[in-house]
């Protein structure tokens, strides 16, 4: 069987590679565009950029993760600080990164390259770091005691205990990081700052130019299909196989005890074989309550102090001096600053509309996929392909399409909602599928005895049983939605059909982008960090006032067996 499986994998590998090569040949010979001959080079640059950044992220995540897990002082300093950093939407502070590197390297390509790689690094490193920390802290006590009894210390302890525990988590975290890199690809490779376009060679920048410079919808779609094919092929070739092998090296308990106290003897099956277990997590996944409940007051204070020091240090590097009172007053003298409450409400409104749409679709798809094999055969491939498509890469394609039909402003509004829905829906879909599959057969039999069918069965049996999963999926969806809305509310590319002016939707995301990318007085680094703090505060308040309360309220519906 193993030989047959390896033969099938080899055939799939060769077939996939040939299909991609043929697709590139067809595109380069039949698509008319001044830069089409550079397509292989752009592909190489993007793959090289993501791969190098992933390597740096792995090296950093493993080294600092092991340090934070084995040293108490390092744990107090690093873990809460990094946890707080990852709750900030990455695209929120990207303007400050661009400003810093453009100023440092005088607008040269290497400055843009460094800023792109730093954006990719911050999207990749957190998953690896916390995966390593969680794996080491999750080493069973009996394993640690056995190692001590055998006298394993130093390098031997690391080799025989820490590394076997870290490798599965490292592969899982690297998989999430790889997907995150493709998610932010187009935002990292093509930037408009102070009215000037900065880009680095790559598939993301070429896709952006196809849409915004050449206004070529066909080329944009072709590039998106090629990107999706590459991601699917590499996921199959590398990550899926690594994740399958990683599951064999984890520590598995021989006895599982549920809340009822009934033990079930046996080993835990490979978790990677189940749908959704290798889903990439959103960039601001660990939200407020996890941060607030996990750490002591000392750890929270250290994290906040380090954050403030980092902010003032970055402002000092950008401004060139310690900000005075007058500098702070000028930062908030912008007349548009008075509209901040309205902008916040508009952005939250877009997120809410997209959330409601996503929730409705996810509930329908999830229930059908979990209970009907025919629908599962349709939805699961859609999920696999959907997760392989970098969501932000869809933005220029949808914008060109909708703007031709509805005009610039309304087309941008529709594009923002559609992109939000496509980004938010998968987290709720997977949580719904998992929860519906885990509804005990006893509950289903009781529902059958009471004659629950159709809509009544959904409202009286399914929905109450999966409410905690819906709330969990909602937290994930809102977390990733903030990055998307920051990107989608502001379209700085001066396209001729819209009068050569940037397009924007009134909202917190577009105001943040203007503050970060436009020249003074509209652009201001101090106001940029203030707006970032507003977003973080909203995330914290929503998690504390909405999601945590809902979780407590719906906890009584949680199914325990």
């Amino acid at each position: 069987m193993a030989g047959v499986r390896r033969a099938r994998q080899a055939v799939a590998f060769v077939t996939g590679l040939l299909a991609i090569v043929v697709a590139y040949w067809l595109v380069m010979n039949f698509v008319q565009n001044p830069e089409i001959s550079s397509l292989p080079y752009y592909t190489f640059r993007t793959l090289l950029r993501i791969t190098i950044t992933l390597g740096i992220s792995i090296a950093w995540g493993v080294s600092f993760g092991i340090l934070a897990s084995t040293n108490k002082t390092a744990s107090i300093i690093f873990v809460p600080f990094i946890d707080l950093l990852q709750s900030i939407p990455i695209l929120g502070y990207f303007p400050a990164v661009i400003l810093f590197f453009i100023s440092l390297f005088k607008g040269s390509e290497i400055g843009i390259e460094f800023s792109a790689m730093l954006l990719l690094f911050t999207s990749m490193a957190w998953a690896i770091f916390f995966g390593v920390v969680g794996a080491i802290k999750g080493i069973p006590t009996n394993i640690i005691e056995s190692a001590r009894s055998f006298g394993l210390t130093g390098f031997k302890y690391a080799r025989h205990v820490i590394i076997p525990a870290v490798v599965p988590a490292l592969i899982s975290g690297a998989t999430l990081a790889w997907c995150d890199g493709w998610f932010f690809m187009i935002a990292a490779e093509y930037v408009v700052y102070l009215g000037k376009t900065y880009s680095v060679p790559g598939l993301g920048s070429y896709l952006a130019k196809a849409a915004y410079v050449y206004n070529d919808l066909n080329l944009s779609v072709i590039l998106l299909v090629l990107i999706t094919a590459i991601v699917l092929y590499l996921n199959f070739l590398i990550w899926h196989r690594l994740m399958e092998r990683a599951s064999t090296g984890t520590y598995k308990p021989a006895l599982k005890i549920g809340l009822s106290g009934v033990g079930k003897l046996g080993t835990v099956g490979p978790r990677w074989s189940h749908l959704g277990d290798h889903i990439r997590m959103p960039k601001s996944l660990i939200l407020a309550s996890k941060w607030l409940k996990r750490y002591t007051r000392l750890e929270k204070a250290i994290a906040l102090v380090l954050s403030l020091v980092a902010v003032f240090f970055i402002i000092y590097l950008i401004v060139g001096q310690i900000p005075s009172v007058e500098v702070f007053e000028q930062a908030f003298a912008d007349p548009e600053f008075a509209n901040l409450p309205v902008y916040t409400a508009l952005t939250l409104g877009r997120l809410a509309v997209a959330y409601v749409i996503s929730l409705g679709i996810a509930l329908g798809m999830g229930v059908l996929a979990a209970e009907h094999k025919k629908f599962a055969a349709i939805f699961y491939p859609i999920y696999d392909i959907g997760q392989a498509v970098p969501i932000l890469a869809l933005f220029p394609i949808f914008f060109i399409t909708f703007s031709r039909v509805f005009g610039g402003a309304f087309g941008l509004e529709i594009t923002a909602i559609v992109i939000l829905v496509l980004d938010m829906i998968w987290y709720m879909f997977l949580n719904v599928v998992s929860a519906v599959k885990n509804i005990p057969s006893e509950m289903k039999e009781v529902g059958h005895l009471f004659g629950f069918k159709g809509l009544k069965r959904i409202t009286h049996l399914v929905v109450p049983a999966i409410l905690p999963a819906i709330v969990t999926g909602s937290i994930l969806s809102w977390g990733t939605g903030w990055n998307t809305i920051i990107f989608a509310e502001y379209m700085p590319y001066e396209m001729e059909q819209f009068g050569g002016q940037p397009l924007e939707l009134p909202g917190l995301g577009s105001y943040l982008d203007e503050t970060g990318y436009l020249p003074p007085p509209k652009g201001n680094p101090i106001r940029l960090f203030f707006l970032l703090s507003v977003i973080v505060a909203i995330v914290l308040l929503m998690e504390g006032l909405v999601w945590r309360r809902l979780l407590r309220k719906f906890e009584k519906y949680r199914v325990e067996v």
Side-chain angles (χ1 to χ4, degrees):
M1 291 295 293
V4 174
R5 185 180 182 184
R6 283 194 293 268
R8 290 178 177 176
Q9 289 177 344
V11 171
F13 164 72
V14 174
T15 303
L17 181 61
L18 287 176
I20 292 176
V21 170
V22 170
Y24 267 71
W25 182 84
L26 291 173
V27 171
M28 294 177 64
N29 282 275
F30 293 98
V31 173
Q32 300 298 320
N33 185 268
E35 299 182 53
I36 199 65
S37 60
S38 301
L39 183 58
Y41 174 67
Y42 292 159
T43 304
F44 169 75
R45 286 290 297 268
T46 292
L47 288 173
L48 182 65
R49 186 174 298 116
I50 294 177
T51 302
I52 291 176
T53 309
L54 179 61
I56 296 172
S57 302
I58 290 174
W60 180 89
V62 171
S63 57
F64 278 84
I66 293 176
L67 177 64
S69 303
T70 56
N71 185 284
K72 187 176 181 180
T73 302
S75 177
I76 292 175
I77 295 174
F78 287 122
V79 177
F81 177 58
I82 294 174
D83 204 351
L84 179 62
L85 286 181
Q86 78 156 359
S87 69
I88 303 174
I90 291 173
L91 292 180
Y93 57 76
F94 189 47
V97 174
I98 289 289
L99 175 61
F100 172 75
F101 280 107
I102 286 180
S103 302
L104 183 63
F105 292 96
K106 309 301 182 182
S108 65
E109 183 178 316
I110 189 172
I112 308 303
E113 190 70 67
F114 276 128
S115 62
M117 292 184 68
L118 183 59
L119 172 67
L120 295 176
F121 172 81
T122 54
S123 70
M124 293 178 172
W126 311 147
I128 297 172
F129 173 81
F130 283 105
V132 171
V133 170
I136 296 176
K137 290 186 177 295
I139 296 176
T141 306
N142 61 330
I143 299 293
I144 298 175
E145 293 175 351
S146 299
R148 289 175 179 173
S149 65
F150 280 101
L152 295 180
T153 58
F155 176 75
K156 288 185 177 180
Y157 180 79
R159 177 185 175 185
H160 295 287
V161 178
I162 291 181
I163 293 179
V166 164
V167 168
L170 175 60
I171 292 175
S172 177
T175 304
L176 304 182
W178 172 263
C179 294
D180 285 339
W182 286 100
F183 180 91
F184 287 104
M185 171 192 59
I186 191 170
E189 292 183 353
Y190 194 80
V191 180
V192 175
Y193 176 70
L194 299 182
K196 183 178 179 181
T197 300
Y198 297 90
S199 64
V200 289
L203 289 174
S205 61
Y206 191 29
L207 175 59
K209 284 191 283 186
Y212 304 130
V213 177
Y214 300 115
N215 193 26
D216 191 336
L217 179 60
N218 294 330
L219 177 59
S220 302
V221 173
I222 289 171
L223 292 175
L224 179 64
V225 172
L226 288 177
I227 292 171
T228 303
I230 292 171
V231 175
L232 281 172
Y233 178 71
L234 293 176
N235 285 349
F236 166 78
L237 178 64
I238 301 173
W239 300 112
H240 289 179
R241 297 174 67 182
L242 284 177
M243 293 178 75
E244 289 175 359
R245 293 184 180 182
S247 63
T248 61
T250 55
Y251 296 114
K252 303 178 180 68
L255 184 66
K256 296 184 291 181
I257 304 292
L259 294 180
S260 62
V262 180
K264 296 182 179 180
L265 189 63
T267 58
V268 181
R271 65 188 300 271
W272 311 112
S273 60
H274 300 287
L275 171 71
D277 286 346
H278 54 273
I279 180 177
R280 67 168 177 83
M281 294 301 171
K283 280 46 67 183
S284 53
L285 172 59
I286 297 184
L287 299 176
S289 72
K290 295 184 179 181
W291 188 78
L292 292 172
K293 292 186 290 186
R294 183 186 301 161
Y295 305 117
T296 64
R297 291 182 178 180
L298 175 62
E299 290 172 325
K300 297 174 192 173
I302 292 175
L304 292 175
V305 169
L306 289 175
S307 301
L308 291 175
V309 170
V311 168
F312 277 99
F313 177 70
I314 294 172
I315 291 177
Y316 174 78
L317 290 177
I318 294 175
V319 177
Q321 62 181 3
I322 298 176
S324 61
V325 176
E326 290 77 15
V327 173
F328 277 97
E329 290 178 351
Q330 292 175 2
F332 301 103
D334 180 23
E336 199 173 354
F337 186 75
N339 298 328
L340 184 59
V342 177
Y343 291 162
T344 303
L346 289 172
T347 294
L348 289 174
R350 292 186 186 98
L351 287 167
V353 170
Y355 168 74
V356 171
I357 297 173
S358 302
L359 178 60
I361 298 174
L363 280 175
M365 289 175 54
V367 173
L368 290 173
E371 296 191 337
H372 301 281
K373 292 183 179 180
K374 292 183 179 180
F375 286 101
I378 297 174
F379 290 141
Y380 289 171
I382 292 176
Y383 159 76
D384 286 332
I385 296 174
Q387 281 292 295
V389 178
I391 297 299
L392 298 186
L394 288 170
F395 182 85
I397 295 174
F398 282 124
F399 174 71
I400 291 177
T401 303
F402 291 130
S403 63
R404 289 177 178 179
V405 178
F406 301 103
F410 193 54
L412 183 60
E413 187 76 68
I414 297 176
T415 301
I417 298 298
V418 172
I419 291 295
L420 279 171
V421 170
L422 292 175
D423 191 25
M424 300 170 85
I425 191 172
W426 302 116
Y427 304 102
M428 285 185 289
F429 169 71
L430 288 177
N431 276 271
V432 169
V433 170
S434 178
V436 173
K437 283 188 172 183
N438 288 320
I439 296 177
S441 57
E442 294 85 353
M443 289 184 62
K444 296 179 180 179
E445 291 173 2
V446 171
H448 180 70
L449 290 175
F450 279 94
F452 291 164
K453 296 181 180 179
L455 182 61
K456 190 174 183 180
R457 179 178 178 276
I458 299 296
T459 57
H460 287 72
L461 175 64
V462 175
V463 172
I466 66 174
L467 280 174
I470 292 176
V471 175
T472 303
S474 301
I475 295 173
L476 303 180
S477 296
W478 276 80
T480 190
W482 277 106
N483 272 308
T484 305
I485 197 66
I486 291 173
F487 184 86
E489 282 188 349
Y490 186 63
M491 217 284 294
Y493 315 108
E494 300 175 356
M495 302 175 69
E496 294 181 0
Q497 60 266 43
F498 305 120
Q501 297 296 322
L503 288 175
E504 64 180 87
L505 300 175
L508 184 56
S510 61
Y511 189 35
L512 184 145
D513 286 331
E514 286 183 341
T515 303
Y517 292 121
L518 294 183
K522 178 63 68 175
N524 187 285
I526 296 176
R527 194 186 323 123
L528 173 65
F529 282 105
F530 176 80
L531 294 176
L532 267 179
S533 67
V534 170
I535 293 177
V536 173
I538 293 172
V539 172
L540 293 171
L541 289 173
M542 280 201 62
E543 206 285 332
L545 298 178
V546 179
W547 304 124
R548 192 191 304 176
R549 291 187 178 185
L550 287 176
L551 279 174
R552 284 199 300 263
K553 182 178 181 180
F554 295 150
E555 192 68 25
K556 60 185 178 180
Y557 296 117
R558 188 176 295 276
V559 178
E560 301 286 359
V561 182

